[in-house]
Amino acid sequence: MKKSPIANCQLPIEKEFRWTLFLSRSAIRLSRSVLIFTTTVAGIWLFLPKPPLLDGVSFSECIRDRNGELLRVTLTSDQKFRIWTPLREIAPDLVDATLQYEDKYFARHPGVNPIALARSGFGVVRGNARTGASTITMQVARLRFHLQTRTPLGKLRQIVRAFELERHYSKSQILEAYLNLAPYGRNIEGIGAASQIYFAKAPAHLTRPESISLSVIPQSPTKRALHADRANRSLNLAQGNWYDRANPGEDSSAREFSARAETERTFFAPHFVQQVLTSSNSSDVITTTLDLEKQQLLERRIADYIRTNRNRGFRNAAAMLVDVRNMDVLAQVGSADFFNAAIEGQVDGTRSPRSPGSTLKPFVYALALDQGLIHPLSILADAPRSFGDYNPENFDRDFLGPIRACDALARSRNLPAVELASQLANPTLYEFLRGAGVSLPRSEPLYGLALPLGGAEIKMEDLVRLYAALANNGELRPLRRTKSDRTPSRGRRVVTPEAAFLTLEMLNVPRPEIGYVDSTNAAPVFWKTGTSHGFHDAWSVAVFNHYVLAVWIGNFDGKPNPGFIGRAAAAPLLFQIIDALRASWPEPNAPHQPPPNANLKRVEFCAVSGDLPGRNCTHRVEGWFIPGISPIKTCDVHQEVLVDVATGLRVPIDDGTRLLRREVYEFWPSDLLKLFERAGLPRRSPPPFLPGTESELTARSGNPPKIISPAEGNATVLETSTDIPLRAKTDADVREIYWFANKSFIGKSQASEMLSWKSARGSYQLIALDDHGRSTSCQVDVR
């Protein structure tokens, strides 16, 4: 039966329909599969765990000076040099060069470059795996998680880690991590350490050729590391390859750049840096107060001085420079040579307790000024004196007799300093030092009166703090070694501003002539020297401009040297450093002025007695004193007397029977007059009275004696097993003193001599009567 035309048309339509249906179902299945795959991938992507990027990675501590100069890079816990450097502080040329050489498509791939992976896989199959497929993200994964990527499983782990990093971190964070972890040869990791060690500069200051030379090292760090003594052929070839691949279109001058390491490992100010590291809180970057230029200046001066004076047995020295305005330690040289084991160079002389010699004397005088014992022109006695069992001597074993306080300090006389120290109270010198934070492990009686002469050991850094207190108007402040250290707005008051000012004024003395070119325009230097007992240590400390500088010469093993004398050994080096500092960093010379609103007055004094001048004082000088505190009185040394013209003898009154003339003589106390005689300094003493002069008249013409032994004005408890010394100060015209106990005559002595009294127990009224009938008394209890 023949089919109809309609039936013949339905067959192709049905086939077409079935085909369309098949395609539709296939598309649906495909879409579903794609959706499932996409959903699965998205789910995996979204739920990829967040790996640590740089958490737990240790970085080197980078210690810098106040101007940003690198002082030291420490090793990390895994013995690497690795300096943390933010991406913003890396030169754009270095970033561009690294991307061009390592990963051109870093900004566009999701952590893995599939084309590069396929190309590398094809090369592996053909046995020619010369093309790397690792992206920067994959390298971060390998470096961060220490993956072994030479096996398929290891490579898969690397890819998964790369996806994890891309999922949770931005491209900038990943690139920053790479530049801080990439190997740059030897034990150097990260661009921060590489830039500093190879080129001695921060990554932000790298030039384009330097950036290129560093960018090619991570692919083969062992072969391409920079060296200080030679060019690296492998590195130079790699740089040429970079230009061929990057095609930057530059001239050949940059391409011909031959990279070399700039210097050896940075190791400046070793003692200072070690102290900072010991007290730091593990910060990646520590900015210190040190000034590297000044540090190196001190180091050069010390090295030159030791080399020049080696024939004198000088082998070691230490020095410290501090800015008193903020107490910043600008330079700290702990030894002449840190690496010299023969001198124990790694010992820090600025922190090692040593005998300071006489460098503590200024603080005896500062306390004496505060306690009203002296003013700068007071007359002190530089004479033999026993303090119990202690018999101090001067350095030159000589005595100068009466001497001004300012001269006694300037000339470092021992006896006046010990005498003043014996009179200090609330505080004593020991209490002052303990209160200032100076470590004194023994009790005060064990140090005794040897303390102002170097009887206790003290650190240079403590000595510098004390002298800085004088420069800061008596305020003691701690030293600062890092910028993070707080600077207190006010320090702790240890002496008054007036005493601090006057003490510095007393230290403004001519400098030694050794190596000194005189300059009348030079700013003043307030300085003091010290020599330890036995010639173990020579010191010199100075306040100048707004600095304190301390210098020490000696041996850490304590070996003595007769040349270790402060003025001859340490002072020349001190002034060489001061001159070099002023030449390199000139500052205006400001006069030394009293602090604002200070309780100070400048007046005329009698140049001979140190008292306010009377009408008979012809020689006068100007000086400072503290009103209400300083022991000020009108001079009674210069007195006008009547002299018989015929005999040259003294008469008490003008009765009109003789031809008289008026003359001025010096009426010194007997103890000081004796000192003048011993020192060979004759004084104009008054002549004796004319024979037959009534004692009543002579008694009215002078001052009564003053008992100085036993102590006048107080009940004194004494032992009867030994003789009691009796001594009194008298006017210059007294020849003899008569001693009485309860009106019983004890004996007589010359005015300047001592009388021994063997007493029974009891209470006595002790009387001293001079040969002019003038007397004084005190109560003495003998038990």
Side-chain angles (χ1 to χ4, degrees):
M1 183 175 177
K2 191 176 181 180
K3 293 182 179 180
S4 66
I6 295 175
N8 291 334
C9 289
Q10 287 178 345
L11 185 58
I13 292 173
E14 183 178 349
K15 290 181 178 180
E16 182 177 354
F17 174 75
R18 288 176 179 175
W19 176 250
T20 302
L21 182 61
F22 172 77
L23 291 177
S24 297
R25 288 175 178 174
S26 298
I28 291 172
R29 285 195 296 271
L30 180 62
S31 299
R32 186 180 300 159
S33 299
V34 170
L35 180 61
I36 292 172
F37 176 78
T38 303
T39 304
T40 302
V41 170
I44 294 173
W45 177 262
L46 289 174
F47 288 99
L48 282 173
K50 182 178 181 179
L53 187 58
L54 290 176
D55 296 343
V57 177
S58 65
F59 286 91
S60 301
E61 288 183 289
C62 191
I63 298 90
R64 299 183 179 276
D65 85 336
R66 65 191 303 111
N67 301 313
E69 296 292 334
L70 186 67
L71 300 176
R72 176 94 61 89
V73 179
T74 64
L75 287 168
T76 62
S77 57
D78 55 351
Q79 301 301 298
K80 304 287 186 182
F81 289 110
R82 189 188 298 123
I83 301 176
W84 163 250
T85 308
L87 186 62
R88 65 179 179 275
E89 296 179 10
I90 299 174
D93 283 339
L94 186 281
V95 175
D96 294 341
T98 301
L99 292 176
Q100 287 285 345
Y101 197 75
E102 294 285 352
D103 192 351
K104 288 184 178 181
Y105 305 103
F106 173 71
R108 297 194 287 273
H109 63 63
V112 175
N113 188 335
I115 298 175
L117 275 176
R119 184 169 60 246
S120 178
F122 185 69
V124 170
V125 172
R126 295 182 60 185
N128 183 23
R130 298 181 62 182
T131 304
S134 293
T135 62
I136 283 180
T137 309
M138 293 172 67
Q139 293 185 59
V140 171
R142 174 177 61 83
L143 294 168
R144 177 64 184 85
F145 304 109
H146 309 289
L147 302 177
Q148 298 296 328
T149 60
R150 293 187 179 276
T151 64
L153 182 60
K155 183 61 72 173
L156 180 61
R157 288 174 177 167
Q158 184 183 23
I159 291 172
V160 172
R161 285 293 194 180
F163 282 134
E164 290 175 351
L165 292 173
E166 290 280 347
R167 162 69 182 86
H168 292 284
Y169 298 99
S170 67
K171 289 288 186 180
S172 295
Q173 289 174 309
I174 294 171
L175 180 59
E176 183 179 72
Y178 172 77
L179 292 173
N180 279 281
L181 295 175
Y184 285 90
R186 295 177 282 180
N187 62 339
I188 303 170
E189 290 189 359
I191 190 60
S195 177
Q196 288 288 356
I197 293 173
Y198 288 144
F199 296 110
K201 61 174 65 175
H205 302 137
L206 289 169
T207 64
R208 187 160 180 78
E210 291 168 346
S211 298
I212 294 169
S213 70
L214 292 176
S215 70
V216 300
I217 294 178
Q219 277 198 7
S220 184
T222 302
K223 294 181 179 180
R224 298 175 183 174
L226 288 163
H227 300 283
D229 56 345
R230 67 183 186 276
N232 189 321
R233 183 172 179 272
S234 176
L235 176 61
N236 292 337
L237 290 174
Q239 290 180 90
N241 184 33
W242 184 96
Y243 278 93
D244 293 337
R245 291 169 58 178
N247 192 23
E250 295 184 355
D251 58 19
S252 61
S253 61
R255 183 169 185 154
E256 293 171 355
F257 172 79
S258 180
R260 293 173 181 265
E262 180 70 19
T263 60
E264 297 179 354
R265 176 183 172 189
T266 302
F267 201 81
F268 296 125
H271 295 100
F272 174 85
V273 171
Q274 190 61 42
Q275 185 173 358
V276 168
L277 289 173
T278 301
S279 58
S280 72
N281 295 320
S282 299
S283 174
D284 290 336
V285 178
I286 302 175
T287 303
T288 69
T289 61
L290 189 108
D291 188 317
L292 183 56
E293 289 188 68
K294 292 181 172 65
Q295 172 77 19
Q296 292 177 327
L297 183 148
L298 262 67
E299 290 174 348
R300 288 194 302 271
R301 287 293 174 182
I302 288 175
D304 292 344
Y305 189 77
I306 294 298
R307 184 169 51 253
T308 303
N309 292 277
R310 195 170 298 278
N311 61 337
R312 299 169 63 189
F314 296 1
R315 298 192 304 156
N316 208 352
M320 177 178 279
L321 179 69
V322 170
D323 188 331
V324 300
R325 296 172 298 183
N326 46 27
M327 296 304 291
D328 285 357
V329 177
L330 302 179
Q332 178 178 330
V333 184
S335 67
D337 184 354
F338 182 81
F339 297 102
N340 188 343
I343 63 170
E344 302 177 72
Q346 296 190 20
V347 174
D348 188 352
T350 66
R351 293 192 295 156
S352 301
R354 310 291 300 185
S355 170
S358 296
T359 55
L360 292 180
K361 284 179 183 173
F363 305 100
V364 173
Y365 284 80
L367 295 173
L369 288 165
D370 258 347
Q371 296 178 20
L373 301 178
I374 59 168
H375 58 79
L377 296 179
S378 292
I379 300 298
L380 303 179
D382 181 18
R385 171 79 191 276
S386 295
F387 300 86
D389 294 332
Y390 182 46
N391 301 292
E393 292 183 328
N394 287 312
F395 179 78
D396 58 6
R397 300 183 182 275
D398 196 7
F399 302 96
L400 300 180
I403 186 173
R404 291 175 180 171
C406 57
D407 294 332
L409 177 57
R411 301 175 69 171
S412 198
R413 307 307 293 176
N414 290 345
L415 271 299
V418 175
E419 174 67 32
L420 286 176
S422 71
Q423 301 177 43
L424 295 177
N426 301 320
T428 62
L429 179 62
Y430 177 88
E431 293 167 344
F432 167 81
L433 294 174
R434 287 291 296 270
V438 176
S439 177
L440 296 174
R442 301 176 181 177
S443 64
E444 185 170 8
L446 289 176
Y447 291 108
L449 291 174
L451 197 55
L453 306 185
E457 292 183 332
I458 187 172
K459 299 177 182 178
M460 178 184 287
E461 59 183 8
D462 288 332
L463 205 55
V464 167
R465 285 192 305 112
L466 292 173
Y467 275 80
L470 295 179
N472 285 325
N473 298 326
E475 290 186 1
L476 184 71
R477 302 174 186 173
L479 297 176
R480 292 180 73 234
R481 286 184 170 86
T482 67
K483 289 296 187 180
S484 60
D485 292 343
R486 294 183 58 187
T487 304
S489 57
R490 295 291 299 272
R492 190 173 69 84
R493 178 79 61 195
V494 290
V495 294
T496 63
E498 294 81 5
F501 170 79
L502 293 181
T503 303
L504 285 182
E505 282 287 286
M506 295 162 74
L507 294 175
N508 185 15
V509 296
R511 53 191 280 175
E513 297 299 324
I514 303 174
Y516 170 55
V517 179
D518 182 64
S519 174
T520 56
N521 295 324
V525 177
F526 311 96
W527 62 288
K528 184 74 184 74
T529 60
T531 304
S532 67
H533 181 72
F535 303 101
H536 297 279
D537 309 272
W539 291 87
S540 193
V541 188
V543 176
F544 65 100
N545 298 98
H546 49 82
Y547 304 111
V548 172
L549 173 65
V551 168
W552 169 85
I553 302 286
N555 296 312
F556 289 142
D557 61 5
K559 184 178 180 180
N561 182 338
F564 289 167
I565 299 172
R567 187 175 182 87
L573 175 58
L574 177 100
F575 281 98
Q576 286 180 19
I577 294 174
I578 292 175
D579 291 342
L581 288 169
R582 284 176 168 171
S584 302
W585 295 276
E587 299 182 17
N589 296 337
H592 187 227
Q593 297 290 346
N597 304 317
N599 179 31
L600 285 169
K601 193 171 183 180
R602 189 170 178 84
V603 297
E604 281 190 335
F605 286 87
C606 172
V608 177
S609 67
D611 293 325
L612 295 178
R615 62 185 182 87
N616 297 316
C617 299
T618 57
H619 299 288
R620 305 185 181 194
V621 293
E622 282 195 348
W624 295 96
F625 77 99
I626 308 175
I629 296 178
S630 297
I632 293 296
K633 64 182 181 66
T634 302
C635 175
D636 57 4
V637 170
H638 295 99
Q639 297 183 24
E640 186 180 72
V641 300
L642 295 173
V643 177
D644 179 24
V645 174
T647 63
L649 298 177
R650 181 180 170 193
V651 295
I653 59 172
D654 184 1
D655 58 5
T657 62
R658 299 175 182 275
L659 181 61
L660 305 177
R661 66 173 182 268
R662 296 181 180 272
E663 293 191 21
V664 175
Y665 289 91
E666 296 179 8
F667 284 73
W668 289 100
S670 55
D671 57 340
L672 290 180
L673 189 60
K674 183 178 180 180
L675 294 180
F676 278 124
E677 293 173 356
R678 177 178 294 183
L681 301 173
R683 308 312 302 171
R684 184 173 168 78
S685 298
F689 280 98
L690 194 69
T693 304
E694 296 180 12
S695 60
E696 182 180 351
L697 294 176
T698 59
R700 288 185 299 187
S701 63
N703 300 308
K706 180 180 180 181
I707 298 175
I708 57 176
S709 176
E712 183 183 14
N714 295 302
T716 306
V717 178
L718 301 168
E719 296 291 341
T720 60
S721 59
T722 59
D723 291 347
I724 300 172
L726 304 179
R727 187 192 298 268
K729 290 197 298 185
T730 66
D731 272 357
D733 57 352
V734 174
R735 301 295 182 265
E736 293 179 327
I737 300 178
Y738 302 89
W739 294 91
F740 299 85
N742 290 342
K743 299 184 180 180
S744 296
F745 181 66
I746 299 174
K748 69 176 181 178
S749 65
Q750 296 297 312
S752 59
E753 301 296 333
M754 180 188 70
L755 178 68
S756 294
W757 174 34
K758 182 67 174 179
S759 171
R761 294 175 182 173
S763 181
Y764 298 91
Q765 182 76 15
L766 188 64
I767 301 172
L769 175 69
D770 68 21
D771 52 12
H772 295 311
R774 297 170 296 216
S775 66
T776 188
S777 65
C778 69
Q779 185 70 30
V780 177
D781 293 329
V782 180
R783 300 176 183 173

